[in-house]
Amino acid sequence: MDNMWIAALDPADRKRIEPHLHERPFAQGQMLYDAGEEVSEVWFPMSGVVSLMTVVDGDRLVETAAIGREGLVGVTCGPLNARAASRAIAQVEGVSACCPADVFADALSKSEHMRTALAKFTESLFAQVQQVAACNAQHRLDERLARWLLTIHDRADADRFVLTQADIAGMLGVRRATVSEVGSELEDKGLIRRGRGWVEVTDRPALEKAACGCYGAMRGVLKDLGVPRPTAGAA
């Protein structure tokens, strides 16, 4: 199993859900579910990246969290929420293992270890949401862009990933022209390369130095909670 959250479960807990899993690919830009919808399945990404989006002013979307193979999508608090609090959109295409929500809820009810694993993940997810909110309010755009690219790089399983300037602008809640300008600064420093519809991380250590402290802070939270940490280059 390529999903790190499932792989970290006890064998007995994995057996509760693995017979019910089915693989489902998702394309970039695909909406897995929308805010307010009833969530019928829990998604366990095995590759790719899913962004949780908050709707602002009725039509604008801003990313509040990114989830890859380290976690699960469709459970945001409690043991299981019937309705989604945010919109889930595939940021980088991939494949997920999906489990019916009622099956997952039943497995949780029978396993304290699984409930603890879920609680740790949701705590790390809420910490990410809070950190992103503070980052968007306080840090320069070049620092935020570097932090965001590192977050995607950790989960994308490749140095180059499909992203347009419009995608990045939407994630960061800024104008596309602003992203182009700041992206050029990072490219001029040799940290990234860009083409039509793609971005490549070319100097990871330098990109980490260019990012604000939020990236390191979130890595520390994951370590302290003992939850799986996605890392660029680690399959």
Side-chain angles (χ1 to χ4, degrees), residues 207-220:
L207 191 62
E208 291 183 7
K209 291 180 180 178
C212 57
C214 294
Y215 176 75
M218 278 311 308
R219 300 290 293 179

Side-chain angles (χ1 to χ4, degrees), residues 25 36 46 48 60 66 69 85 88 91 105 112 117 138 142 151 181 207 213 219 224:
M46 297 185 291
R60 291 178 57 240
R69 65 186 184 279
Q91 190 60 236
E112 181 178 355
Q138 296 295 326
D142 60 322
T151 299
E181 180 180 344
L207 191 62
R219 300 290 293 179
D224 291 343

Side-chain angles (χ1 to χ4, degrees), residues 23 26 29 41 74 80-81 96 100 114 124 139 160 170 182-183 186 193 201-202 206-207:
E23 288 191 11
F26 51 82
E41 290 189 305
L80 183 65
N81 268 345
S96 177
M114 188 178 289
S124 72
H139 292 142
R160 179 183 293 196
V182 176
L186 297 182
R193 291 177 60 234
V201 174
T202 54
L207 191 62

Side-chain angles (χ1 to χ4, degrees), residues 136-154:
N136 288 343
Q138 296 295 326
H139 292 142
R140 299 193 315 267
L141 182 56
D142 60 322
E143 295 175 323
R144 291 165 51 200
L145 177 56
R147 183 265 304 165
W148 187 77
L149 288 173
L150 290 169
T151 299
I152 298 300
H153 190 220
D154 280 337

Side-chain angles (χ1 to χ4, degrees), residues 47-114:
S47 62
V49 185
V50 177
S51 294
L52 300 186
M53 312 292 294
T54 297
V55 181
V56 181
D57 296 331
D59 58 354
R60 291 178 57 240
L61 293 171
V62 178
E63 184 191 67
T64 53
I67 302 170
R69 65 186 184 279
E70 81 283 0
L72 57 159
V73 180
V75 179
T76 53
C77 66
L80 183 65
N81 268 345
R83 295 190 180 276
S86 58
R87 182 178 298 180
I89 296 179
Q91 190 60 236
V92 177
E93 69 175 8
V95 178
S96 177
C98 294
C99 178
D102 56 347
V103 171
F104 186 66
D106 182 63
L108 287 173
S109 70
K110 295 175 180 177
S111 172
E112 181 178 355
H113 291 295
M114 188 178 289

